[in-house]
Amino acid sequence: MSILANRDTRAVIIGGVAGVNAARRMAQFDFLINRPLTVEAFVYPPEEGQQKEIYRGGELNNVTVYASLQKALDENPLINTALIYIGASRAYQSAKEALDSNGIKLVTMITEGVPEKDAKRLRKYALEKGKIFNGPSSIGIMSAGECRLGVIGGEYKNLKLCNLYRPGSFGVITKSGGLSNEAMWLCAQNGNGITSAVAIGGDSYPGTDFVTYLQMFENDPETKAVVIVGEVGGTLEEEAAEWLGAEKRRIKVIAAIGGTCQDVLPQGMKFGHAGAKEGKKGLGSARSKINALREAGAYVPDTFGGLSKAIKQVYQELQATGIISPEPEIDEKLLPELPPSVQEIMKQGEVIVEPLIRTTISDDRGEEPRYVGYAASELCEKGYGIEDVIALLWNKKLPSKEESEIIKRIIMISADHGPAVSGAFGAIIAACAGIDLPQAVSAGMTMIGPRFGGAVTNAGKYFKYGVKEYPNDIPGFLAWMKQNHGPVPGIGHRVKSLKNPDKRVKYLVEYVKNQTTLHTPCLDYALEVEKITTSKKDNLILNVDGTIGCILVDLDFPEFSLNGFFVLARTIGMIGHWIDQNNQNARLIRLYDYLINYAVKEEREVPEKK
Amino acid sequence: MAKILEGPAMKLFNKWGMPVPNYVVVMDPNRLEQLGEANKWLRESKLVVKAHEAIGGRFKLGLVKLGLNLEQAVEAANEMIGREIGTAVVRQVIIAEMLDHDEEYYLSIAGNRDGAELLLSNKGGVDIEDNWDTVKRLFIPLDETPSIERITEAALEAGFVGEIAERVAKITSRLILCFDNEDAQSIEINPLVIRKSDMRFAALDAVMNVDWDARFRHPDWDFKPVSEIGRPFTEAEQQIMEIDARIKGSVKLVEVPGGNIALLTAGGGASVFYSDAVVARGGSIANYAEYSGDPPDWAVEALTETICRLPDIKHIIVGGAIANFTDVKATFNGIINGFRESKSKGFLENVKIWVRRGGPNENQGLASMKKLQEEGFDIHVYDRSMPMTDIVDLAMNS
């Protein structure tokens, strides 16, 4: 048996992230004792309509967030308890609304820092309504083997250590949240555990008091003794003593009262809880509370450390008189273990997870990104440039000075080719239509393909094939190309020809061949091919795609990477065009009619649909 | 609980029509001279000068001077400002008009669980403690305002006569308004007087506590609460308060000069029991400290370093109950870093450290704490099976 919360308790949590975290802890307890989920709904207007993922063991539940308490109750009619986690400035209104709701009998406020007057009003209101308002600043309520409200009881392991999976014979009432957990542990260690534990909160004017719950425990036949943990300030402990002494009580009371040190400390010294403040003339002092409780027949040890002994003594007495008969213990090994997360089991090396992706180039799990093992900042410090980073990320090798200079020049030479070409023109049209940078640049980027800029990879690939398969047989290579592929990629230009050579090609070839020591078998082969193709047709020259492709193959870049150089280089240009158009506040482009040949049918009537 | 100084209290009284004497608060005595040029009352009235600080027993310390003219007031302000009282320094003085009066009355309101209690006496002033049995009490239920007739009745019973009783009732009803609307926890006016010059009431002294948790609904609260421990906060206490205001969870510190057992305890409830245990065993604490609500590790580290710097400590009690949600591993990391840092700065010589804790990630937290032994710390680590406050016994018997 229990008080306040049991297997029929169904809760709504009012509040945001702290409430969701509490719901997750509560679901762990639900799993431990195999009961349905306690939390059925959240109320938090900013997140209306969202679903919160709550695991009960391995079972995933989605709990809905409602904008209003009424909606939550309409859709979840079993709810009979409200937990308030919402901020102090809205806590009063939320709690009042909960107390006004028909189905809700118990409101527990976890929120801290609630104005005293608000707490006083809620206490009064709950009394008028015949309901329980527990808190503010309560850590929650625990009924062993039945229900957990709030994070009371702490982590999963502790729930087991404190025997909270099955009821015992001790009730617990504390002001402090941390000490409720400690007291539950003491009851498990020195007795047979608890029936229920309630934290009433350490504020000056909590909504309930020791007497409320002592009476409930008195009426709960399974509870044989109650541990109360009080402290200096207020008169709730004195009232508990009065209750205890007023008539013969079935339950035994064990108490610890904090704050005796106040006698020797600076006057008015403030303790942890707001309510821990001595009243005038000794009333409310720890000493007065201890004396009152002892006189009323409670067991009150001198220090908190003495509580263990007191509980053990009471437990032994209750056993000796047959009030508590020992019950067979549940073997803790039979209790379910919380399913661990994948990360946790992986740490222990007990599971193999096949990775979804694999990377061989970079890793940012440390303090800074590392490119193929090298820290980015160290590369900067040691004088490496962007061309070295490209080589690392695309080819996993640090190039020599000479090699990186070639890479740099390839990019510089390819960065832009004026506004008329497909890529730049695409980006400009998009810019003029008011499209933002990334989308406008990718409009230009979509143009890169077999007819524009996209021949670098294939050029490199086929010239490399030629070098390997037809080293001394260019006609053979050309015949093979014609039969298997078609025109040779990297050969031919729309406007340039032998007589009107492409300056970029000339420059690159001369630079690589005359000013570097790079071994260039692929480029040499392509130049031999050009000799033959230009003999057939003047404009079948080695174009810039072909040149770049061959040089990059000679630099040992993988085939897949080759188009990347054009894409990367031209991105610089396209971004430039986008910025340029925006700087000029360019207007939307529409083609003039005279630029279009309307080769269409004459105007005619639409026939009736058949 | 938040005690506020006289100046802000008087401002709130004014707001609710509770008459107060003319007053000014200054930090610079020269400013008082300038104010004198602007305000006739400063030139023409007898003045009282008081240190405007949370220092107890100001009268005995010479921090209250009565019956001065402006020139003498400037002189008194000059003497007071900058005076050091223990760890405190006087930075502000309040200068108020002295009111010529005969009778001194006592009027106070204090909150309780069901509302508030009004206390009235016509024998106020310094003798109120001796005349405590003449005080008439009137219960004011929550959210109710007693009628003027009802208060008049109480005033008559408290010894006020005739028209004065009625006028006291009217003043009292304004004070109740102030109490209710300003989320006050207690207001004490002693004395309340009738000034001879115009026969009007005035509150000569005010002690007021407001509910600091209610500040979200008081945009005009331009003051900060002051220390309630009879002295202003020390620099270390202020630093910890500043951290406390910034973080999730909380860290708290009160220094207790002369003690040799330092507390670095967790939780509002447990920390009190640790103080009790030290006192019960005849020891003396060097401080009261608490961290709770899963504060960030750096905040606990700062608290740790502050505690390690306390003079003449022999033991540090790193105590706590079994936490519900405070991560023991994370908060202990903060403490460990604080210990290391302090040791490297030469603190913790011959200091024994005693640890007892449970809660989320307790095993990892306790294990790393225990490892400090290898670094030469005199540290003793216990888990949940050690009764909570028994480490205090171990420390004191060592």
Side-chain angles (χ1 to χ4, degrees):
Chain A
M1 284 296 286
S2 56
I3 66 166
L4 293 164
N6 56 36
R7 280 198 173 248
D8 296 326
T9 300
R10 296 291 183 279
V12 55
I13 288 185
I14 302 171
V17 60
V20 175
N21 287 337
R24 296 197 168 124
R25 284 286 175 92
M26 288 163 69
Q28 291 181 352
F29 182 79
D30 296 338
F31 169 70
L32 173 66
I33 66 163
N34 191 22
R35 62 157 281 165
L37 219 54
T38 307
V39 177
E40 296 205 328
F42 294 101
V43 175
Y44 192 55
E47 294 178 359
E48 179 188 6
Q50 287 187 17
Q51 304 268 318
K52 299 294 176 187
E53 292 175 353
I54 309 290
Y55 282 92
R56 194 183 70 114
E59 168 200 294
L60 175 60
N61 296 269
N62 291 301
V63 178
T64 306
V65 184
Y66 297 89
S68 76
L69 179 62
Q70 197 49 55
K71 265 192 194 159
L73 296 179
D74 287 347
E75 292 188 21
N76 303 277
L78 293 180
I79 289 174
N80 51 17
T81 299
L83 295 182
I84 314 280
Y85 277 88
I86 205 152
S89 62
R90 284 167 296 166
Y92 172 77
Q93 207 46 49
S94 299
K96 186 157 184 293
E97 210 182 316
L99 288 168
D100 276 330
S101 306
N102 280 336
I104 293 179
K105 306 280 181 257
L106 167 66
V107 177
T108 283
M109 186 176 281
I110 314 299
T111 313
E112 296 184 344
V114 175
E116 284 179 3
K117 191 193 279 174
D118 297 4
K120 281 152 84 167
R121 285 178 174 155
L122 288 168
R123 174 178 173 273
K124 190 176 163 199
Y125 197 64
L127 282 172
E128 283 165 14
K129 291 245 161 193
K131 296 183 177 184
I132 296 283
F133 170 68
N134 188 61
S137 308
S138 166
I139 195 78
I141 296 166
M142 167 66 79
S143 288
E146 303 221 24
C147 181
R148 174 191 204 177
L149 296 173
V151 301
I152 184 169
E155 64 177 344
Y156 191 75
K157 189 182 84 175
N158 187 59
L159 301 177
K160 290 187 184 179
L161 286 172
C162 294
N163 294 351
L164 296 173
Y165 48 84
R166 55 114 184 100
S169 306
F170 289 79
V172 169
I173 319 169
T174 68
K175 281 183 174 171
S176 153
L179 293 178
S180 68
N181 208 11
E182 186 73 27
M184 293 194 297
W185 160 246
L186 293 178
C187 290
Q189 205 186 18
N190 301 293
N192 63 350
I194 66 151
T195 49
S196 292
V198 195
I200 63 179
D203 285 9
S204 296
Y205 304 115
T208 49
D209 46 32
F210 292 115
V211 172
T212 314
Y213 299 132
L214 280 170
Q215 189 59 55
M216 288 186 191
F217 279 127
E218 176 79 5
N219 296 339
D220 170 42
E222 295 306 316
T223 304
K224 316 291 184 191
V226 175
V227 177
I228 70 177
V229 182
E231 63 193 14
V232 56
T235 54
L236 300 190
E237 293 82 356
E238 283 89 338
E239 289 163 25
E242 205 178 307
W243 176 88
L244 183 63
E247 54 185 91
K248 185 158 168 50
R249 303 293 180 184
R250 184 184 57 81
I251 51 171
K252 292 181 184 296
V253 174
I254 305 156
I257 307 294
T260 48
C261 63
Q262 204 156 40
D263 303 347
V264 299
L265 291 185
Q267 263 247 301
M269 197 176 107
K270 206 166 162 182
F271 285 116
H273 293 142
K277 194 162 190 311
E278 193 176 343
K280 260 196 175 128
K281 297 183 192 276
L283 191 68
S285 74
R287 195 55 64 194
S288 119
K289 292 167 193 289
I290 290 173
N291 292 342
L293 281 160
R294 280 183 180 158
E295 275 166 34
Y299 300 74
V300 190
D302 285 332
T303 65
F304 194 91
L307 213 45
S308 309
K309 250 189 215 161
I311 293 171
K312 190 169 245 165
Q313 189 194 333
V314 168
Y315 182 60
Q316 283 165 350
E317 279 171 25
L318 288 168
Q319 276 186 316
T321 50
I323 294 171
I324 295 178
S325 44
E327 281 185 35
E329 270 300 330
I330 298 174
D331 184 357
E332 279 191 35
K333 289 197 196 90
L334 298 177
L335 293 169
E337 279 297 330
L338 210 56
S341 70
V342 171
Q343 281 104 315
E344 282 164 353
I345 340 178
M346 280 181 74
K347 252 186 230 159
Q348 289 151 17
E350 283 170 9
V351 70
I352 292 170
V353 177
E354 199 173 318
L356 190 61
I357 62 165
R358 183 197 310 147
T359 180
T360 62
I361 57 167
S362 76
D363 186 346
D364 74 335
R365 291 171 300 173
E367 285 180 334
E368 65 168 317
R370 284 179 180 272
Y371 306 144
V372 199
Y374 301 124
S377 63
E378 205 181 332
L379 289 168
C380 295
E381 285 305 310
K382 292 197 168 155
Y384 286 91
I386 184 72
E387 55 279 6
D388 299 298
V389 173
I390 292 168
L392 269 178
L393 292 178
W394 295 9
N395 196 25
K396 297 193 272 182
K397 277 191 241 175
L398 273 181
S400 68
K401 267 189 188 163
E402 207 174 76
E403 288 165 341
S404 35
E405 191 59 34
I406 297 171
I407 296 169
K408 187 176 97 186
R409 288 178 193 219
I410 285 175
I411 289 168
M412 287 172 74
I413 264 173
S414 322
D416 193 49
H417 205 180
V421 297
S422 310
F425 190 51
I428 288 170
I429 291 175
C432 291
I435 304 303
D436 224 337
L437 188 147
Q439 291 75 28
V441 170
S442 54
M445 207 68 76
T446 30
M447 305 300 167
I448 298 173
R451 294 182 182 178
F452 170 70
V456 185
T457 289
N458 276 347
K461 175 177 163 185
Y462 288 114
F463 285 125
K464 191 175 171 186
Y465 178 82
V467 173
K468 195 178 163 210
E469 301 296 331
Y470 298 92
N472 298 310
D473 179 13
I474 292 177
F477 168 67
L478 288 173
W480 181 86
M481 283 300 290
K482 197 170 182 181
Q483 194 183 342
N484 294 291
H485 185 265
V488 182
I491 293 285
H493 200 283
R494 255 190 87 179
V495 286
K496 304 285 180 189
S497 64
L498 261 188
K499 282 168 218 135
N500 173 26
D502 185 334
K503 183 87 193 294
R504 297 174 301 171
V505 173
K506 227 177 133 202
Y507 171 76
L508 266 181
V509 171
E510 270 168 23
Y511 174 75
V512 172
K513 291 194 74 68
N514 301 335
Q515 294 187 47
T516 74
T517 58
L518 186 72
H519 182 51
T520 55
C522 194
L523 181 60
D524 295 344
Y525 190 83
L527 290 169
E528 289 305 315
V529 170
E530 183 189 36
K531 277 182 195 161
I532 293 186
T533 52
T534 47
S535 69
K536 290 176 185 166
K537 208 173 172 199
D538 195 39
N539 70 343
L540 290 181
I541 52 167
L542 179 64
N543 62 27
V544 74
D545 288 10
T547 313
I548 294 173
C550 290
I551 296 172
L552 291 168
V553 166
D554 289 334
L555 282 169
D556 204 24
F557 271 94
E559 278 171 26
F560 290 119
S561 72
L562 306 185
N563 270 343
F565 285 87
F566 185 82
V567 170
L568 173 68
R570 205 42 74 84
T571 302
I572 299 170
M574 289 185 208
I575 291 173
H577 285 293
W578 185 88
I579 295 169
D580 182 39
Q581 295 304 316
N582 275 273
N583 275 341
Q584 303 172 51
N585 202 11
R587 285 181 300 173
L588 183 67
I589 297 178
R590 191 191 147 88
L591 282 186
Y592 297 106
D593 285 351
Y594 58 77
L595 288 176
I596 300 166
N597 171 12
Y598 289 99
V600 296
K601 293 268 187 203
E602 292 286 315
E603 277 185 33
R604 51 182 172 160
E605 201 180 317
V606 177
E608 292 303 318
K609 196 173 181 192
K610 285 174 196 163
Chain B
M1 246 348 189
K3 183 174 177 169
I4 64 175
L5 288 172
E6 240 167 300
M10 290 206 176
K11 204 167 157 188
L12 293 179
F13 284 4
N14 245 330
K15 182 175 163 190
W16 294 99
M18 180 79 205
V20 295
N22 286 313
Y23 72 94
V24 289
V25 178
V26 298
M27 299 176 76
D28 176 359
N30 298 328
R31 180 58 56 86
L32 183 56
E33 279 179 67
Q34 291 167 348
L35 281 164
E37 286 165 30
N39 293 285
K40 199 171 147 196
W41 67 266
L42 274 169
R43 296 193 303 272
E44 297 184 352
S45 318
K46 287 276 172 221
L47 303 173
V48 55
V49 179
K50 298 184 245 183
H52 198 233
E53 302 286 350
I55 299 174
R58 285 180 297 178
F59 209 90
K60 281 183 192 154
L61 291 166
L63 294 176
V64 179
K65 292 274 165 69
L66 302 166
L68 312 176
N69 62 27
L70 182 58
E71 199 183 320
Q72 292 165 319
V74 173
E75 200 180 311
N78 254 320
E79 274 171 29
M80 286 183 203
I81 290 174
R83 251 188 80 184
E84 287 178 26
I85 309 291
T87 53
V89 181
V90 177
R91 299 191 192 281
Q92 301 181 349
V93 292
I94 182 166
I95 299 97
E97 186 183 10
M98 280 189 76
L99 303 182
D100 205 7
H101 61 271
D102 289 327
E103 307 276 296
E104 297 199 328
Y105 311 132
Y106 177 87
L107 176 57
S108 79
I109 308 178
N112 59 31
R113 196 179 357 168
D114 303 302
E117 194 174 42
L118 173 70
L119 274 69
L120 265 175
S121 167
N122 69 342
K123 298 200 170 51
V126 287
D127 301 329
I128 184 66
E129 293 290 334
D130 298 332
N131 294 308
W132 201 244
D133 49 351
T134 68
V135 170
K136 167 70 191 162
R137 293 159 184 263
L138 178 66
F139 170 60
I140 307 170
L142 187 61
D143 290 325
E144 285 179 34
T145 316
S147 65
I148 299 286
E149 291 73 34
R150 183 71 198 83
I151 309 171
T152 309
E153 218 174 279
L156 287 168
E157 286 170 43
F160 293 94
V161 280
E163 180 226 20
I164 300 285
E166 221 168 288
R167 289 184 58 202
V168 164
K170 278 184 190 156
I171 285 289
T172 304
S173 71
R174 289 184 199 165
L175 193 69
I176 294 172
L177 269 181
C178 174
F179 181 88
D180 263 349
N181 288 292
E182 297 295 338
D183 276 292
Q185 293 166 317
S186 69
I187 301 178
E188 186 177 52
I189 296 174
N190 188 30
L192 175 73
V193 303
I194 297 175
R195 113 167 98 183
K196 276 188 174 168
S197 58
D198 56 3
M199 295 308 280
R200 284 170 56 106
F201 275 105
L204 287 198
D205 197 9
V207 181
M208 185 167 180
N209 284 285
V210 295
D211 183 356
W212 200 239
D213 284 333
R215 66 189 178 278
F216 64 81
R217 54 191 177 212
H218 296 283
D220 64 338
W221 282 8
D222 54 1
F223 46 80
K224 283 218 170 85
V226 298
S227 153
E228 288 157 62
I229 49 181
R231 59 162 172 83
F233 297 118
T234 65
E235 205 175 308
E237 287 165 353
Q238 267 169 358
Q239 279 168 6
I240 297 299
M241 279 162 68
E242 273 159 32
I243 293 174
D244 187 46
R246 270 161 46 207
I247 56 166
K248 163 187 81 91
S250 73
V251 288
K252 292 194 167 77
L253 174 72
V254 179
E255 291 185 51
V256 184
N260 59 14
I261 298 184
L263 298 176
L264 179 44
T265 44
S271 56
V272 176
F273 280 104
Y274 277 103
S275 311
D276 287 352
V278 173
V279 173
R281 298 288 177 251
S284 57
I285 58 171
N287 71 299
Y288 168 78
E290 180 219 330
Y291 63 93
S292 58
D294 203 19
D297 54 357
W298 61 265
V300 185
E301 184 177 335
L303 180 65
T304 306
E305 285 196 53
T306 309
I307 286 167
C308 291
R309 283 197 296 269
L310 292 171
D312 305 323
I313 53 171
K314 293 203 166 63
H315 302 278
I316 297 179
I317 306 291
V318 184
I322 298 164
N324 288 292
F325 63 98
T326 297
D327 188 322
V328 174
K329 183 182 156 199
T331 46
F332 269 23
N333 274 343
I335 294 177
I336 289 167
N337 288 340
F339 280 156
R340 285 194 180 128
E341 189 68 19
S342 302
K343 194 164 188 243
S344 74
K345 287 177 185 161
F347 297 101
L348 295 178
E349 283 266 322
N350 301 319
V351 173
K352 291 188 166 76
I353 302 167
W354 305 85
V355 183
R356 188 274 185 185
R357 186 71 162 139
N361 296 321
E362 58 190 25
N363 290 347
Q364 294 104 307
L366 291 165
S368 28
M369 198 61 99
K370 202 157 187 183
K371 273 203 173 150
L372 286 180
Q373 284 173 343
E374 297 164 16
E375 296 172 33
F377 286 88
D378 190 353
I379 189 166
H380 311 263
V381 182
Y382 301 93
D383 64 10
R384 57 165 72 212
S385 59
M386 166 68 68
M388 198 175 86
T389 58
D390 283 10
I391 52 167
V392 172
D393 299 11
L394 291 175
M396 297 188 62
N397 293 332
S398 70

